[in-house]
């Protein structure tokens, strides 16, 4: 794995509660991403960051917010979790001069 | 609107034969195409990529072909091995900044002994 750690790896939470997922990288890569994987949809981009404090929305950003206060950390927050946010969440990193992004191991989130 | 499509949810191939996974796209602004392999409970792993200015890229048993006029790419695995059993995702990237990837739905490849 390309020096990417996601935490927690598994989480069960109740509807309406806030949840924060953490992505930590040791590669000093500029770009960081949060994707979710759902059956029949592949991976869809939630939010991404192109530098410290520089973030933007992806395809499925509603109900999510992100923060990046340091190069190595990218946080994804579900402000008020809903059952539709039950999914597997992947963090990824990349650099401007490289074509591939590298993924973390994923966080399985269940909202009950 | 699904910009990247993998129309075969699953594919079963005999060990030693060729596996061919297909992917179609609609956005002519994509400049790079990538294939990722994913095992259960793991993150996607980068496999091979191809620039939009090429029509073929080869890496060992894996070859990716790009047909820009048809907006179609394919991944060939030969010979197929049991360890190749996984879900394969096609992804595409636009020239614009931040290198965001757009993924297909994935194809589950099963290699039978």
């Amino acid at each position: 794995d390309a020096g990417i750690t996601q935490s927690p790896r598994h989480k069960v939470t109740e509807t309406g509660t806030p949840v924060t997922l953490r992505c930590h990288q040791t590669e000093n890569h500029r770009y960081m991403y949060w994707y979710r994987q759902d059956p029949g949809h592949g991976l869809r981009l939630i939010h991404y960051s192109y530098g410290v404090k520089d973030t933007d929305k992806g395809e499925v950003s509603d109900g999510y917010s992100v923060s990046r206060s340091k190069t190595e950390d990218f946080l994804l927050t579900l402000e008020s979790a809903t059952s539709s946010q039950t999914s597997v969440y992947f963090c990824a990193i990349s650099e401007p001069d490289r074509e591939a992004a590298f993924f973390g191991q994923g966080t399985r989130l269940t909202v009950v | 609107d699904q910009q990247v499509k993998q129309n075969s949810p699953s594919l079963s191939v005999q060990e030693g034969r060729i596996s061919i996974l297909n992917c179609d796209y609609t956005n002519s602004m994509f400049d790079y195409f990538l294939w990722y392999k994913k095992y259960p409970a793991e993150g996607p792993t980068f496999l091979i990529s191809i620039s939009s200015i090429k029509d073929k890229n080869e890496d060992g048993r894996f070859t990716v072909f790009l047909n820009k006029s048809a907006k179609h790419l394919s991944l060939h695995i030969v010979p197929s091995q049991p360890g190749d059993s996984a879900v394969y995702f096609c992804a595409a990237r636009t020239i614009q900044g931040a290198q965001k990837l757009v993924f297909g739905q994935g194809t589950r490849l099963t290699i039978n002994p």
Side-chain angles (χ1 to χ4, degrees):
Chain A
D1 297 322
I4 308 170
T5 304
Q6 291 187 230
S7 58
R9 294 292 315 277
H10 302 271
K11 185 170 183 67
V12 179
T13 192
E14 292 186 351
T15 299
T17 60
V19 176
T20 295
L21 309 183
R22 181 182 184 236
C23 178
H24 178 79
Q25 61 147 329
T26 58
E27 306 295 318
N28 201 36
H29 279 24
R30 176 180 173 186
Y31 300 138
M32 297 186 76
Y33 315 84
W34 278 106
Y35 289 87
R36 59 179 288 175
Q37 183 196 1
D38 303 290
H41 291 278
L43 284 83
R44 292 179 292 174
L45 183 64
I46 305 170
H47 281 281
Y48 64 98
S49 170
Y50 44 95
V52 174
K53 298 194 190 311
D54 292 323
T55 65
D56 205 348
K57 296 178 180 180
E59 178 188 0
V60 290
S61 60
D62 286 348
Y64 302 95
S65 62
V66 289
S67 65
R68 190 171 179 198
S69 59
K70 298 185 288 185
T71 298
E72 57 266 35
D73 290 325
F74 192 33
L75 303 181
L76 176 71
T77 297
L78 288 65
E79 292 134 13
S80 177
T82 67
S83 58
S84 65
Q85 293 176 313
T86 292
S87 187
V88 181
Y89 292 85
F90 290 101
C91 174
I93 63 174
S94 72
E95 273 287 276
D97 59 348
R98 300 170 73 173
E99 69 271 15
F102 299 93
F103 285 79
Q105 295 276 65
T107 295
R108 180 172 294 276
L109 176 69
T110 303
V111 183
V112 297
Chain B
D1 180 33
Q2 190 90 23
Q3 296 186 71
V4 179
K5 291 184 181 180
Q6 294 175 256
N7 292 316
S8 298
S10 62
L11 177 66
S12 185
V13 174
Q14 198 160 6
E15 182 179 358
R17 307 294 289 265
I18 184 171
S19 295
I20 299 176
L21 295 93
N22 294 303
C23 179
D24 297 298
Y25 64 95
T26 58
N27 189 343
S28 58
M29 296 299 291
F30 288 140
D31 69 335
Y32 257 101
F33 301 89
L34 304 90
W35 285 94
Y36 283 83
K37 176 180 181 179
K38 186 182 179 306
Y39 292 120
E42 295 185 10
T45 302
F46 170 68
L47 195 56
I48 191 170
S49 65
I50 187 167
S51 165
S52 60
I53 63 173
K54 296 186 177 181
D55 55 17
K56 178 182 175 181
N57 187 28
E58 194 170 353
D59 184 2
R61 296 187 297 116
F62 303 92
T63 303
V64 56
F65 296 91
L66 175 62
N67 182 334
K68 284 186 67 177
S69 61
K71 291 190 173 66
H72 177 84
L73 66 154
S74 61
L75 173 68
H76 292 212
I77 306 172
V78 55
S80 300
Q81 299 174 354
D84 296 330
S85 294
V87 176
Y88 289 79
F89 290 100
C90 170
R93 193 191 80 181
T94 56
I95 297 171
Q96 286 86 358
Q99 299 173 296
K100 297 172 288 181
L101 293 175
V102 180
F103 284 83
Q105 305 96 311
T107 297
R108 181 177 301 279
L109 175 65
T110 302
I111 306 302
N112 302 308

